[in-house]
Amino acid sequence: MTPQTFHRGEGPAPRPTDWNLPNALTVLRFLLVPVYAVLLFQDGGHEPWWRFWAWVVFALAAVTDGVDGKIARRRGEITNFGKVADPIADKALTGTAFIGLSLLGVVWWWVTVVILVREIGITVLRFVVIRHGVMPAGRGGKLKTMLQTLALGSLTLPLWVWPFSDVLTTIAYVLLGAALVMTVVSGVDYVFKAARLRETSERTRTRRAARAARAGQHGTGPDGTGPDGAGPDGTGPDGTGPDGTGHGDTPASPERTAKRD
């Protein structure tokens, strides 16, 4: 049992350090990306033996994606570094695979462009809202990653030398189509999550409280009226002056003055 899951004494449990096994596996996945790219393009990218070894590296990197998250949750070693670096490592691996397979003519370029625009856009969005909090990967994002991994792994393999190659190739492209749909849907979901996080974060609540406090110190409400509903120039809410007459800055007419006297 680890210090993160079993804590004695006063005060909060110690924050898990970034130097842990899950984060090490995430870094390993980063390092495997260029190895995969080199193997994929060996001998022009059409040599079955090199394509098989490229698949082995891709599969190893994909396995680390599932393992690091399980270890982090089981051992209580979830860190902000892991929350941010893990999805970026996924995008580095899948992005390299999409571009590489498109260069080899295996994946259509328009599919690669749509997916990469979504992936880069969501990554930028994560950094934009990081002041309000970290957006961890949701279920939609995890399903998207799984479908992309299955499709890219299948298309990395030299299916043309396998038995029933036509059937296997068709299955691989069906997986690619499902991954494309899920990529777009989960991207839209992340945009709504980012907007909700920005509106409900502690940073936003603190700023709103500060603005309300400044407004109270000046004797005006958020709409510019005073605490009793009077305007900033002393007029009442119906436009009358402090004494019930017309606008505070406009002198009463002689007739009203005479009647009042």
Side-chain angles (χ1 to χ4, degrees):
M1 190 165 294
T2 64
Q4 287 77 24
T5 57
F6 188 79
H7 174 61
R8 291 181 179 273
E10 298 181 356
R15 176 182 175 273
T17 175
D18 290 334
W19 296 95
N20 54 46
L21 180 58
N23 290 345
L25 292 174
T26 299
V27 173
L28 174 62
R29 191 155 67 255
F30 274 112
L31 299 177
L32 289 175
V33 171
V35 178
Y36 166 77
V38 170
L39 294 174
L40 182 66
F41 286 102
Q42 284 295 317
D43 290 340
H46 299 289
E47 175 60 39
W49 185 246
W50 288 114
R51 287 283 288 269
F52 170 76
W53 281 111
W55 174 84
V56 170
V57 173
F58 183 88
L60 178 61
V63 168
T64 64
D65 180 31
V67 172
D68 61 0
K70 291 181 180 179
I71 295 176
R73 288 187 293 271
R74 185 173 65 248
R75 298 173 58 172
E77 294 179 339
I78 298 176
T79 63
N80 286 339
F81 172 83
K83 291 179 181 179
V84 174
D86 183 71
I88 294 177
D90 296 338
K91 291 173 176 59
L93 178 64
T94 56
T96 300
F98 272 115
I99 294 174
L101 293 173
S102 292
L103 289 171
L104 295 177
V106 179
V107 175
W108 300 285
W109 271 109
W110 70 267
V111 173
T112 297
V113 169
V114 169
I115 290 179
L116 290 184
V117 167
R118 181 272 186 200
E119 301 288 15
I120 295 173
I122 295 302
T123 301
V124 172
L125 183 62
R126 286 177 182 274
F127 283 104
V128 168
V129 301
I130 200 169
R131 295 174 299 172
H132 301 274
V134 177
M135 282 197 310
R139 292 183 178 179
K142 293 178 180 178
L143 177 59
K144 176 266 304 179
T145 300
M146 183 187 70
L147 290 171
Q148 287 185 3
T149 302
L150 291 174
L152 293 171
S154 301
L155 294 172
T156 297
L157 282 169
L159 297 178
W160 66 88
V161 301
W162 286 32
F164 309 105
S165 60
D166 292 340
V167 175
L168 294 175
T169 301
T170 300
I171 294 174
Y173 280 109
V174 169
L175 289 172
L176 180 63
L180 175 63
V181 172
M182 200 63 219
T183 298
V184 175
V185 172
S186 62
V188 173
D189 181 58
Y190 273 121
V191 171
F192 283 105
K193 284 183 178 179
R196 187 163 55 249
L197 175 64
R198 184 174 181 180
E199 288 297 320
T200 60
S201 69
E202 182 66 26
R203 177 186 175 90
T204 300
R205 290 195 296 268
T206 301
R207 292 178 63 182
R208 288 174 178 170
R211 286 198 298 267
R214 288 196 299 269
Q217 291 175 357
H218 288 82
T220 59
D223 58 352
T225 61
D228 57 353
D233 58 353
T235 61
D238 57 353
T240 59
D243 57 354
T245 62
H247 193 280
D249 295 335
T250 304
S253 63
E255 292 80 7
R256 288 186 179 182
T257 303
K259 290 179 181 180
R260 191 164 59 245
D261 295 338

